[in-house]
Amino acid sequence: MKKKELPDNRGKYGAYGGRFSPEVLMPALVDLEAAFKKYSKEDVFQKELAYYLREFAGRPTPLYYAKNLSEKLGGAKIYLKREDLVHGGAHKLNSTLGQALLAKKMGKKRVIAETGAGQHGVATAIAAATMGLKCEVYMGTEDTVRQKLNVFRMNLMDARVIPVDSGSKTLKDATNEAFRDWIANIEDTYYLIGSVMGPHPYPMIVREFQKIIGEEAKKQILEKEGRLPDAVMACVGGGSNAMGIFNAFKEDANVELFGVEAGGKGIDTGEHGAALCAGTNGVLHGMYSKILQDKYGQIKVSYSISAGLDYPGVGPELSYLAGEGRVKPTSITDEEALDAFKTLSRTEGIMPALESAHAVAQAIKTAPRMKKNQVIIVNLSGRGDKDVFTVAEALGVKL
Amino acid sequence: MRLKEKFSELKKKKEGALIGFVTAGDPTAADTIEIAQAMIRGGIDILELGLPFSDPVADGPVIQKAGERALRAGMNPDIFFETAGKIKGIPKAVLTYYNIVLQRGLDKFCADCAKTQIDGLVIPDLPIEECEPLRSACKKHNVSLILLAAPTTPDDRLEKILEEADGFLYVVSVAGVTGARKDLSAQVKPLIKRIKKRSGDLPLAVGFGISRPEHVKEVLAAGAEGAIVGSAFEKIIEECLGDKKEMLHGLENFARELKTATTRREIGGDTHQQEGKTLK
């Protein structure tokens, strides 16, 4: 039976989601929702987006059978959804192309974005460059140092990176600053949010632009295996690649969905980014969701070796699906993710992004306990080239 | 005294309300009591106390920094209510973000407000669509949930806000974050006029970017009943962190300058003459 479409007309996924935004932004959020509903239904828009996704981004991406890894583990067959092959090196472009196109249709001249590691910033810069939009990206000063290569990449594509020096100087503060910019420049600016988070309609818009991952994967696995997978695994920071692949399988009750969060140094150390596993209900960045906070409601600083998972909240639909028992939240530590990074590189010749390595690590843990005729799909959301310095440092190698 | 009573008292005296905002706990909770007293001596009519949140999206750099200092110095909701309870003789409101209210529990938060004579709650990230649970809790404890309207708020939405508004309407003068600005936003006068057509007896208080006596005068002349000044007070605190005497002195004098501007409504807001010393 098909479940009720979510979000509801108030932008809620059960109790989660909603629109906790300053009054100044509310009319813009209402307009954005209307514009999305209008354009995304139009053939012209869908054709144009399909063109960009095919000719520019390189879709569809392969669903690759990781034979060596599967045989080494001796359990379930592991398939990799190769979002690392999307132009720019990650799934992020699916949504930035969609949103930039939407911004253009809405007559906006400028897009702004927040970025942690810089992946969403780079994907926004790419989309803005190809569509002729002015692009400015907020990034915590800590991150501009840790990820200076991405800062340079953005600059090369004519995007301006604005360092954010407030609070913890990381992704959550960059997000605050992007909201402040949007509040002040609502007329000509489109705020291009990077994940299935923020106030309604953003979690819905980003999911809708990312759901192509799961639609492709479902078709591909049916072609290759003639059946649905037993499990789908994706890393969860804000949750855009996870919702992107889960969406197509949400109603297939026999497909287990693993939302793999950043365990950092271990959940019990308090240094992690696992809002689904260890967070509590609250409001951050315009949404009611699971967040990491203290007993007074102050937001905690998250931690992960992978900057893309280093966020103290998570998209509201994932909080809902986890609450319903549909998504199983798990966590993988830095160390396990690094091991998975090495293992996949050696066995398959594929270097995963450290974010995606969390999902790979979960597959490495789970596959041996499954039967050989069972199937796992791992969303390989990004490639690891951006992480080689971090990995080298963690391994004590000097480059 | 309740907010409503204060506004009607001032109306009789033909004065506008000067609402002074400071972040509680900056630089320390004990200082906040002295800071409030200095501002009261200077003549503020209503005190708005900020309860800091780690991620204040509606605030500009000055109030952000004040919040960070306060949090580092240990401010939390328990200490906040203890501190607020010690500030007497003036109607009070609290400004904080929704998650802080939510985690304390809506009912407990409102009960604590009532207990410490805080008569109004201003929650900048709680729009009308989401405010029902808190509104019920406020009603139960007889405190006002102060709603906000912005230059971007369209008329139909404004009417919905006005239906639910209580205490006073917080008019956001500019599509932007809090912070002192040299000139008053051009958006503010048409906005006040637009709201006035629909707001009946509900007092309007204008905030965001109000930092000089002439700004106060202008918004009152445009028809508002009050002006809210925050970042400009915070700036004095920030500049005098090492010298409390200077800080209290500066706050009191600045409050006095601003208050003077509320007592001369007949002068009108279209004159740009300088009155007294303005903030550097």
Side-chain angles (χ1 to χ4, degrees):
Chain A
M1 193 183 74
K2 199 168 157 57
K3 278 196 186 170
K4 208 171 73 195
E5 283 286 318
L6 290 178
D8 67 15
N9 57 8
R10 297 174 62 214
K12 305 265 179 181
Y13 307 83
Y16 296 104
R19 232 174 222 167
F20 296 87
S21 280
E23 175 60 25
V24 182
L25 291 181
M26 292 302 291
L29 293 169
V30 172
D31 288 350
L32 176 59
E33 184 183 358
F36 174 76
K37 285 192 169 149
K38 174 172 174 242
Y39 292 115
S40 64
K41 275 190 201 120
E42 283 179 4
D43 262 6
V44 187
F45 182 92
Q46 285 303 341
K47 272 188 188 150
E48 209 174 338
L49 181 58
Y51 170 83
Y52 276 108
L53 289 173
R54 185 180 66 243
E55 303 291 327
F56 184 72
R59 302 208 71 90
T61 59
L63 183 72
Y64 179 70
Y65 173 44
K67 186 164 180 282
N68 300 339
L69 180 66
S70 305
E71 284 175 358
K72 183 177 179 237
L73 296 169
K77 292 172 87 169
I78 298 171
Y79 280 85
L80 305 174
K81 180 59 178 163
R82 297 292 308 275
E83 293 299 298
D84 59 319
L85 296 177
V86 174
H87 175 44
H91 73 290
K92 292 282 185 191
L93 194 67
N94 302 330
S95 162
T96 61
L97 282 174
Q99 289 194 72
L101 196 58
L102 183 60
K104 244 182 120 164
K105 299 279 177 203
M106 291 173 74
K108 307 287 180 184
K109 306 278 180 237
R110 173 178 180 256
V111 296
I112 55 169
E114 81 295 338
T115 197
Q119 290 311 103
H120 174 57
V122 168
T124 304
I126 293 172
T130 186
M131 295 197 192
L133 293 160
K134 188 178 171 196
C135 176
E136 298 190 297
V137 179
Y138 287 92
M139 190 170 183
T141 44
E142 288 276 326
D143 292 331
T144 59
V145 176
R146 286 195 287 193
Q147 302 285 340
K148 57 185 176 206
L149 213 59
N150 271 340
V151 174
F152 187 55
R153 289 170 81 195
M154 285 183 262
N155 290 336
L156 287 173
M157 286 179 286
D158 214 18
R160 189 162 80 98
V161 176
I162 305 170
V164 175
D165 221 10
S166 57
S168 61
K169 308 178 203 310
T170 59
L171 177 59
K172 87 176 171 70
D173 309 282
T175 306
N176 293 336
E177 212 49 46
F179 270 112
R180 292 180 188 121
D181 180 311
W182 199 35
I183 288 171
N185 297 291
I186 207 117
E187 288 298 320
D188 73 335
T189 297
Y190 181 98
Y191 179 17
L192 208 157
I193 288 190
S195 193
V196 285
M197 47 157 276
H200 178 62
Y202 280 108
M204 173 184 77
I205 290 180
V206 176
R207 179 195 70 196
E208 290 301 300
F209 286 136
Q210 291 291 1
K211 72 180 183 188
I212 190 166
I213 304 174
E215 286 169 357
E216 284 177 11
K218 193 171 193 174
K219 193 165 151 251
Q220 289 164 322
I221 201 71
L222 288 173
E223 279 164 16
K224 287 174 200 288
E225 291 287 335
R227 62 187 287 258
L228 290 175
D230 298 279
V232 176
M233 298 176 179
C235 64
V236 174
S240 71
N241 90 78
M243 278 317 304
I245 196 159
F246 290 168
N247 194 64
F249 299 98
K250 271 193 298 201
E251 277 146 44
D252 300 313
N254 293 328
V255 181
E256 209 174 350
L257 307 175
F258 288 74
V260 188
E261 298 194 298
K265 294 177 182 169
I267 300 286
D268 49 1
T269 67
E271 292 190 54
H272 58 80
L276 286 176
C277 292
T280 49
N281 293 340
V283 169
L284 173 66
H285 294 147
M287 61 184 174
Y288 182 72
S289 197
K290 293 278 182 199
I291 56 178
L292 301 176
Q293 58 185 332
D294 71 12
K295 67 169 178 170
Y296 294 117
Q298 306 295 353
I299 308 305
K300 284 188 188 167
V301 174
S302 55
Y303 164 80
S304 170
I305 190 172
S306 100
L309 304 185
D310 194 353
Y311 179 66
V314 62
E317 189 167 8
L318 281 160
S319 291
Y320 168 74
L321 292 171
E324 295 286 292
R326 185 64 196 93
V327 166
K328 183 179 176 176
T330 63
S331 71
I332 287 293
T333 62
D334 286 359
E335 211 178 303
E336 291 169 320
L338 274 169
D339 282 343
F341 182 99
K342 287 190 282 186
T343 303
L344 194 68
S345 301
R346 281 176 192 158
T347 56
E348 299 290 349
I350 298 170
M351 281 195 307
L354 276 174
E355 290 78 5
S356 325
H358 286 71
V360 175
Q362 186 63 51
I364 292 173
K365 264 189 181 175
T366 309
R369 285 179 294 202
M370 292 168 70
K371 294 187 200 108
K372 284 192 176 182
N373 62 357
Q374 289 188 298
V375 172
I376 296 174
I377 298 179
V378 171
N379 195 10
L380 203 73
S381 54
R383 68 177 180 223
D385 303 61
K386 68 180 175 68
D387 294 315
V388 290
F389 289 104
T390 310
V391 172
E393 202 186 311
L395 300 178
V397 178
K398 238 187 156 154
L399 294 179
Chain B
M1 185 185 269
R2 305 291 311 261
L3 292 168
K4 277 177 204 155
E5 292 163 19
K6 188 66 182 181
F7 276 104
S8 42
E9 177 197 295
L10 290 167
K11 195 177 177 186
K12 276 183 208 138
K13 290 203 277 177
K14 294 199 164 131
E15 282 179 29
L18 173 62
I19 303 173
F21 169 90
V22 280
T23 300
D26 171 34
T28 69
D31 290 329
T32 297
I33 298 171
E34 289 182 66
I35 284 168
Q37 284 160 350
M39 289 163 69
I40 295 168
R41 280 196 303 275
I44 61 165
D45 300 299
I46 293 165
L47 175 68
E48 189 186 350
L49 279 173
L51 168 52
F53 175 51
S54 53
D55 293 76
V57 286
D59 284 306
V62 173
I63 294 179
Q64 282 174 48
K65 276 188 208 139
E68 284 173 25
R69 285 194 298 271
L71 288 173
R72 270 201 306 272
M75 179 45 72
N76 66 41
D78 298 332
I79 301 172
F80 175 85
F81 285 112
E82 210 176 284
T83 307
K86 290 180 188 158
I87 301 168
K88 306 203 187 270
I90 187 164
K92 289 172 290 190
V94 54
L95 183 145
T96 193
Y97 287 81
Y98 192 46
N99 198 44
I100 299 295
V101 183
L102 207 52
Q103 299 313 319
R104 193 167 188 85
L106 305 185
D107 191 71
K108 182 164 162 44
F109 196 95
C110 292
D112 287 337
C113 285
K115 240 182 268 168
T116 53
Q117 295 87 47
I118 291 174
D119 195 30
L121 278 75
V122 184
I123 316 291
D125 61 345
L126 190 69
I128 40 167
E129 285 84 347
E130 306 284 359
C131 78
E132 192 38 50
L134 184 57
R135 241 166 63 88
S136 309
C138 281
K139 276 202 180 134
K140 182 176 157 199
H141 294 282
N142 198 22
V143 292
S144 299
L145 180 59
I146 313 286
L147 298 179
L148 296 93
T152 51
T153 308
D155 287 344
D156 54 341
R157 194 176 161 82
L158 185 61
E159 271 154 28
K160 276 186 216 150
I161 294 172
L162 286 167
E163 267 169 40
E164 319 250 320
D166 188 24
F168 63 88
L169 184 71
Y170 193 126
V171 180
V172 177
S173 76
V174 55
V177 292
T178 59
R181 288 166 176 82
K182 194 169 147 278
D183 296 310
L184 205 58
S185 148
Q187 297 166 313
V188 71
K189 279 187 206 166
L191 176 62
I192 294 172
K193 293 222 163 71
R194 188 155 65 89
I195 299 173
K196 268 283 157 191
K197 276 187 211 154
R198 300 170 170 83
S199 56
D201 291 336
L202 186 75
L204 311 186
V206 182
F208 283 47
I210 312 290
S211 59
R212 301 177 176 206
E214 57 268 33
H215 298 162
V216 172
K217 216 176 267 182
E218 279 184 61
V219 297
L220 297 180
E225 278 75 18
I228 307 166
V229 178
S231 294
F233 281 116
E234 297 278 13
K235 194 78 192 162
I236 295 174
I237 296 174
E238 184 185 293
E239 282 170 1
C240 303
L241 281 172
D243 187 346
K244 194 154 90 184
K245 211 177 136 197
E246 176 78 19
M247 179 194 293
L248 298 176
H249 191 67
L251 291 167
E252 183 179 337
N253 282 345
F254 184 54
R256 189 165 293 124
E257 275 178 47
L258 294 168
K259 183 57 201 171
T260 307
T262 69
T263 54
R264 296 187 188 172
R265 289 183 79 170
E266 64 282 5
I267 290 176
D270 292 319
T271 56
H272 282 267
Q273 67 196 75
Q274 293 272 326
E275 285 266 328
K277 192 166 59 93
T278 55
L279 189 74
K280 43 197 175 264

